[in-house]
Amino acid sequence: MHGASPSTSSGTTAHLVDRHPTVTPERLVAQLVPPPTFADVSFDTYRPDPGEPSQSDAVRSCEQFCTEAAQRRAGKKKLFGKREVLPGVGVYLDGGFGVGKTHLLASTYYRLVAADAGPAAFATFGELTQLAGVFGFVECIELLSGYVVVCIDEFELDDPGNTTLISRLLSALVERGVSIAATSNTLPEQLGEGRFAAQDFLREINTLSQIFTTVRIEGPDYRHRDLPPAPQPPSDEDVRARAEGVEGATLDDFDALCAHLATMHPSRYNALIEGVTEVFVTGVHPIEDQSVALRLVSLTDRLYDAGIPIVASGSKLDTVFSEEMLAGGFRKKYLRATSRLLALTHAGQE
């Protein structure tokens, strides 16, 4: 969708619930790039914490990976000038929230693009599964087999089907000379733990762990450094009044927005917020339904990637996901979303 941007010229703030985007397969391919918030990053702009040597080590590991990935894509010379395709390599950046994993992943993407080693792809784990769903498994392999690297941010396994799908997809790509770089908060051999019967597809998980060299990155969440706790939310009236004064803003009721998210596939959320400058939401409250919560996580990820501030009334945004949910299998996903919601809320105060 390339629809009109939200406008306040009529005196009425636009609403996300009035937008009904569609996404073509061509757009899904065009979106295989780092998000806007990481459009200008590089290894040189990464600022390792002096007290966390693993961060400097991670930069060197990623730079070495780029060198190896380019060599693998180029292949090995044989007789008569032909080249033999070499299997790709893998690097897996594991660490807590906010230690700069995505920064390093995007830097890897840009380093290989700048080296003219071949096309590169960047996607979240969810976007990669969506791509396979849209194009089909075999077609997705053909689509990505010419890439020098596929970068996968926030590698997560939410169900056995995705585990099998992505494991086989990555194995096929590596065989064709594509290298894989990934980030996650969970080590490859632990993927799936606490969510479902991991032993039912242990072979697939083992295959994934064999592809990657794991690089551990330690450190506190930079989004929380020098930040106060979640701010006291403004009133509904304040949120509405502020929204009226911001060009390109949207204003929605929390329940209505959550219901609207259910009407479309998460692959459309990027198009849903296209052109939005700031998101205003009234009536936020804790969520009890897992499906609603996971859709909100997907929207939060897209808002964070785009750097769109949030101003919300009702409950504090660090209370949206219930204690019961935080104790379940999607705990890391909800904690990441909470971290990002708080960062976007503080951005909305500036």
Side-chain angles (χ1 to χ4, degrees):
M1 169 187 161
H2 297 279
S5 298
S7 172
T8 57
S9 58
S10 64
T12 302
T13 306
H15 308 285
L16 289 176
V17 296
D18 293 333
R19 306 181 114 204
H20 302 276
T22 57
V23 179
T24 64
E26 290 76 18
R27 172 159 181 166
L28 287 176
V29 174
Q31 289 177 178
L32 296 178
V33 297
T37 47
F38 295 95
D40 300 313
V41 302
S42 68
F43 292 128
D44 291 336
T45 62
Y46 183 79
R47 295 289 177 260
D49 186 332
E52 299 290 349
S54 64
Q55 296 187 6
S56 296
D57 292 342
V59 175
R60 288 189 288 271
S61 295
C62 289
E63 290 178 322
Q64 180 181 353
F65 167 82
C66 289
T67 300
E68 293 180 1
Q71 292 172 343
R72 292 273 167 169
R73 183 75 271 182
K76 184 170 63 175
K77 280 188 178 181
K78 298 179 69 176
L79 294 175
F80 310 112
K82 294 184 178 180
R83 286 184 174 270
E84 176 188 2
V85 174
L86 297 173
V89 291
V91 65
Y92 195 97
L93 304 179
D94 173 75
F97 305 105
V99 295
K101 299 188 302 294
T102 304
H103 184 133
L104 292 174
L105 190 68
S107 299
T108 297
Y109 171 95
Y110 288 122
R111 171 66 64 85
L112 285 164
V113 169
D116 201 24
F122 188 107
T124 64
F125 181 81
E127 288 170 338
L128 190 62
T129 57
Q130 292 160 17
L131 197 69
V134 169
F135 287 97
F137 181 75
V138 174
E139 291 78 3
C140 194
I141 292 174
E142 292 302 317
L143 174 70
L144 298 174
S145 61
Y147 284 65
V148 60
V149 67
V150 173
C151 300
I152 309 170
D153 200 19
E154 296 296 349
F155 206 113
E156 296 175 350
L157 299 177
D158 297 334
D159 61 61
N162 282 346
T163 304
T164 303
L165 173 72
I166 297 304
S167 171
R168 294 176 180 171
L169 176 66
L170 297 186
S171 295
L173 291 175
V174 167
E175 289 176 3
R176 287 163 174 77
V178 182
S179 292
I180 310 295
T183 73
S184 183
N185 308 112
T186 308
L187 291 169
E189 64 269 18
Q190 296 172 330
L191 288 170
E193 285 187 4
R195 301 184 192 182
F196 34 73
Q199 65 271 18
D200 290 345
F201 47 89
L202 188 59
R203 182 185 63 207
E204 281 79 9
I205 293 176
N206 285 338
T207 299
L208 287 174
S209 66
Q210 290 167 13
I211 289 173
F212 298 110
T213 296
T214 300
V215 176
R216 177 72 186 175
I217 309 176
E218 305 288 353
D221 189 335
Y222 75 89
R223 290 185 288 265
H224 293 173
R225 294 174 197 164
D226 303 318
L227 282 181
Q232 190 63 38
S235 66
D236 289 355
E237 293 72 22
D238 287 341
V239 170
R240 295 189 187 100
R242 286 185 59 180
E244 285 290 341
V246 178
E247 184 71 26
T250 58
L251 172 65
D252 292 272
D253 169 74
F254 183 67
D255 284 333
L257 177 58
C258 289
H260 187 56
L261 294 178
T263 67
M264 68 188 75
H265 193 277
S267 61
R268 299 184 184 182
Y269 292 179
N270 259 331
L272 178 68
I273 62 172
E274 187 174 36
V276 175
T277 60
E278 195 161 355
V279 167
F280 293 81
V281 182
T282 58
V284 172
H285 61 81
I287 297 173
E288 301 298 332
D289 187 290
Q290 192 99 263
S291 297
V292 175
L294 291 172
R295 286 190 287 268
L296 183 63
V297 167
S298 293
L299 178 64
T300 298
D301 288 342
R302 301 290 76 75
L303 291 171
Y304 183 78
D305 287 345
I308 300 175
I310 296 174
V311 177
S313 63
S315 301
K316 292 183 178 180
L317 289 177
D318 60 356
T319 66
V320 170
F321 305 109
S322 68
E323 288 299 322
E324 182 180 0
M325 287 184 177
L326 291 176
F330 296 108
R331 171 180 172 79
K332 291 182 179 179
K333 185 174 286 190
Y334 294 141
L335 288 175
R336 184 189 76 232
T338 298
S339 173
R340 291 181 166 185
L341 283 171
L342 291 180
L344 294 175
T345 300
H346 286 291
Q349 291 184 308
E350 296 175 355

